[in-house]
Amino acid sequence: MAVTGWAVTGSGDFSPSDSSTTDALFDGRVLLQQPARGEGYRVNADALLLAEFARGRVPAATAFDLGAGVGSVGLSLLYLRAATRVVLVEIDVAAAALAERNLHDNGWSDAGEVVRGDVSDVARARRGEAQLVVCNPPYVEPGRGRLAQNAARAKARSGELATFVSAARGVAGRRARVCFVYPAPELATLFATMRASGLEPKRMRAVHASASAAARVVLVEAQPAKAGGLVVMPPLIERT
């Protein structure tokens, strides 16, 4: 175990909460410890959609998951062979503990690292290390929208998008891909925030609950690159 100022890496430094459940992804091939219902933020489909969207032609040597929670996106990247190694960045102690446990329980302790700390601090300390960055950021900007009554869930769902985008740009290497999932009505905000941080959107896919419904979320891949060249993929329909 190594302790580095703002962050703790390695195993055994923090303990998972007793109020967690054991769930599974990919038909039981990946085990997932996460907060019990009503006790905190639980994984939803957006995490799996993001991991699948982020797959490249070859596995990324190192992928960073910013605001990783219990590690569902990073675990999915390892399972899908989209990344050889993942760095899970999470500020919440309980969530970081569960992420550490999830890496261990799935036999990926050597392929993953949990860094407990603020994403901005991590970005400054580990600048340019990532070949792939994934982020399922909070969907509610501070002071906007309705938050969950549960404090842990509310904390996970509220945060400044610019903080996560700036951190993604910081850890991204020169040719890294940066992938986000975000509410479709806020697409213009996402694009503007990316460009303000030096990231140019290059690929996008809208996700619809049904063929007749407006887009629910968007999946966007950006790179540190010149403007232009955006590829809009066919929409993903969740229920046909």
Side-chain angles (χ1 to χ4, degrees), residues 134-228:
V134 292
C135 186
N136 180 5
Y139 286 174
V140 181
E141 290 278 324
R144 295 180 58 186
R146 296 178 59 186
L147 293 178
Q149 292 182 347
N150 178 272
R153 183 176 175 84
K155 182 178 180 181
R157 292 180 63 84
S158 177
E160 293 184 356
L161 174 64
T163 298
F164 288 88
V165 173
S166 178
R169 178 64 185 93
V171 298
R174 185 176 179 182
R175 297 183 179 180
R177 296 183 298 114
V178 177
C179 297
F180 273 75
V181 57
Y182 207 62
E186 300 297 329
L187 176 60
T189 299
L190 178 60
F191 273 26
T193 306
M194 284 180 164
R195 285 170 171 150
S197 292
L199 292 169
E200 181 64 26
K202 293 297 182 181
R203 185 167 63 101
M204 184 187 83
R205 191 173 196 185
V207 179
H208 302 250
S210 67
S212 61
R216 182 177 65 79
V217 295
V218 287
L219 299 157
V220 177
E221 176 186 311
Q223 290 183 292
K226 295 180 180 179

Side-chain angles (χ1 to χ4, degrees), residues 1 9-12 30-31 74-75 78-79 84-88 96-115:
M1 180 182 70
T9 64
S11 59
V30 176
L31 298 178
L75 294 170
L78 291 173
Y79 173 77
T84 303
R85 176 176 172 77
V86 296
V87 179
L88 310 178
L98 289 171
E100 183 115 22
R101 180 171 176 178
N102 287 329
L103 284 170
H104 176 270
D105 288 352
N106 288 283
W108 287 323
S109 292
D110 291 339
E113 173 188 359
V114 177
V115 178

